[in-house]
Amino acid sequence: MMNRNVRTLDEFTIQQLRQFPHATGELSNLLRDIGLAAKRVNVEVNKAGLVDILGDADLVNVQGEDVKKLDVYANQQFEGVLRHGISCAGIGSEEIDDYIAFDDSVSNQSKYVVMFDPLDGSGNIDVNVSIGTIFAVYRRVSPVGGPVTRADFLQPGVRQVAAGYVVYGSSTMLVYATRRGVNGFTLDPSIGEFTLSHPDIRCPGQGRIYSVNHGNFFRYAPGVQAYIQRCQRKEKEDGGPYTQRYIGSMVSDLHRNLVKGGIFMYPGTTDKPGGKLRLMYECNPFAFIMEVAGGRATDGSRRILDIEPTGLHQRTPLFIGSSGMMDELEECLAAHPID
Ligand code: P6P
């Protein structure tokens, strides 16, 4: 018996559209396009161990990292649906040096640009750890009708119209946020559709999970070390004990902490003070999602969404999660100021 109460991503975005009669439907179309690309990537991720799509593609991306074939495939899928859709004027991608202006008569009429990491955590592909896609949607600042410009992409995260991620895990989920809320959709293989499974996701104000790479502990600032040790000392009467969970795949770590509550940290280190994670297509999207869900995200001193970007691929330290845990982190950082 078909459960007609279960809404697909398409039905949900159209229903959202009906609440705004003056909306053009472009954003709904864009989110459905992203859902289509995610379904195609999911097929390949699920069979990655069976076909010759594993292993290096003998390519190196702009980050100087070995590009896995699945990275290339995922990038092609997301670029393809956005280029051939009617709702995106151009893209920026972790896999591509510079932004791409689609610059055709239809795309130039669109008011949105999209930045994405097509397959984050791809170093985990060969060991079957969950990986993900991360995306951010901005309204272009250049005039509709012509090709997009660099200024359309170098906008602070606070100007995102929507942001989301896909986690290719034990089940495949697409989670996206607009200012109206965060909603999660689980792919139902029996009908090949993303179906609403996590309506109105809220991040608990307190959690008991802290996520950080302990291997870098002695390269973190004193305030970060102090907070980590504060987490380790938590007892029942103080909201603990805490547990340390770190998968090494940002989408998986952040999805868990968003739903259950927790804090994720990728701090700067003595050798890499700027951190590792990318502002435009990793940190900004998750910061937007987390804030809509009631959490917070900073680089240790500034709100992530307020950072004025200077480059498509710039890195930033990231502290993100439950608001109460972020408050405690900031107490530790303030008590150990970096001179
Ligand atoms: P580390 C994966 O390579 C990634 O970009 C994120 O998905 C993940 O959170 C982070 O790097 C893990 O980095 O240095 O702790 O292995």
Side-chain angles (χ1 to χ4, degrees):
M1 179 67 179
M2 171 72 79
N3 175 354
R4 287 307 305 155
N5 296 324
V6 174
R7 279 181 287 175
T8 66
L9 175 65
D10 290 12
E11 289 170 324
F12 182 85
T13 53
I14 290 166
Q15 283 173 1
Q16 295 284 302
L17 178 59
R18 285 169 62 92
Q19 294 175 24
F20 293 95
H22 304 298
T24 62
E26 261 193 87
L27 182 59
S28 298
N29 283 335
L30 186 56
L31 292 166
R32 290 201 297 276
D33 289 345
I34 289 171
L36 173 58
K39 287 192 276 190
R40 289 176 174 156
V41 172
N42 179 62
V43 169
E44 297 308 318
V45 168
N46 281 347
K47 64 184 182 183
L50 301 176
V51 297
D52 177 28
I53 201 162
L54 270 182
D56 295 339
D58 303 324
L59 299 173
V60 174
N61 68 12
V62 293
Q63 331 298 344
E65 297 162 342
D66 287 344
V67 179
K68 302 283 182 186
K69 288 178 183 175
L70 220 43
D71 273 340
V72 175
Y73 177 81
N75 193 64
Q76 288 166 348
Q77 292 307 311
F78 282 96
E79 179 182 347
V81 295
L82 294 171
R83 179 186 292 273
H84 300 119
I86 56 170
S87 310
C88 179
I91 60 164
S93 167
E94 186 195 26
E95 297 298 334
I96 304 171
D97 302 43
D98 205 349
Y99 71 90
I100 296 179
F102 292 151
D103 197 10
D104 62 67
S105 58
V106 173
S107 301
N108 283 347
Q109 294 303 321
S110 171
K111 56 177 178 276
Y112 296 120
V113 295
V114 180
M115 269 174 271
F116 56 85
D117 182 351
L119 211 57
D120 180 73
S122 53
N124 294 306
I125 292 173
D126 293 353
V127 293
N128 204 23
V129 167
S130 296
I131 50 185
T133 298
I134 312 166
F135 63 89
V137 183
Y138 289 83
R139 189 171 284 102
R140 65 187 292 180
V141 295
S142 59
V144 168
V148 291
T149 67
R150 184 173 309 281
D152 293 315
F153 296 90
L154 295 182
Q155 299 185 60
V158 70
R159 294 215 202 114
Q160 289 172 101
V161 172
Y165 59 89
V166 182
V167 49
Y168 308 99
S170 48
S171 63
T172 294
M173 276 194 72
L174 185 152
V175 176
Y176 81 85
T178 62
R179 297 228 170 267
R180 293 166 49 81
V182 184
N183 290 284
F185 301 79
T186 300
L187 185 62
D188 179 345
S190 70
I191 57 172
E193 293 288 355
F194 282 106
T195 54
L196 183 64
S197 53
H198 296 67
D200 193 23
I201 297 174
R202 303 292 297 165
C203 181
Q206 277 295 349
R208 296 195 305 115
I209 296 170
Y210 72 100
S211 305
V212 69
N213 185 333
H214 270 276
N216 293 325
F217 182 84
F218 292 106
R219 288 186 281 276
Y220 294 145
V224 176
Q225 293 176 345
Y227 178 68
I228 292 173
Q229 291 174 330
R230 185 166 175 175
C231 291
Q232 292 169 318
R233 294 191 185 104
K234 287 283 182 179
E235 297 300 341
K236 194 172 178 59
E237 58 274 10
D238 188 20
Y242 282 9
T243 186
Q244 201 265 349
R245 288 285 182 272
Y246 190 76
I247 298 171
S249 183
M250 181 182 197
V251 175
S252 302
D253 279 317
L254 278 166
H255 177 67
R256 178 202 55 236
N257 290 9
L258 170 68
V259 173
K260 293 193 167 193
I263 189 167
F264 174 94
M265 298 173 276
Y266 205 105
T269 55
T270 45
D271 54 328
K272 295 178 183 173
K276 172 183 182 182
L277 302 179
R278 308 291 178 170
L279 173 64
M280 298 311 292
Y281 41 77
E282 291 175 339
C283 299
N284 267 335
F286 272 111
F288 181 85
I289 294 163
M290 190 58 78
E291 286 202 6
V292 173
R296 295 208 284 121
T298 74
D299 67 353
S301 56
R302 295 173 297 174
R303 181 185 178 217
I304 289 288
L305 296 183
D306 288 340
I307 297 175
E308 286 289 346
T310 54
L312 287 181
H313 302 293
Q314 73 184 71
R315 302 174 194 266
T316 175
L318 177 67
F319 302 87
I320 184 171
S322 297
S323 54
M325 301 177 86
M326 289 292 292
D327 292 345
E328 285 198 37
L329 164 72
E330 286 166 359
E331 287 171 15
C332 290
L333 297 180
H336 300 78
I338 300 173
D339 28 295

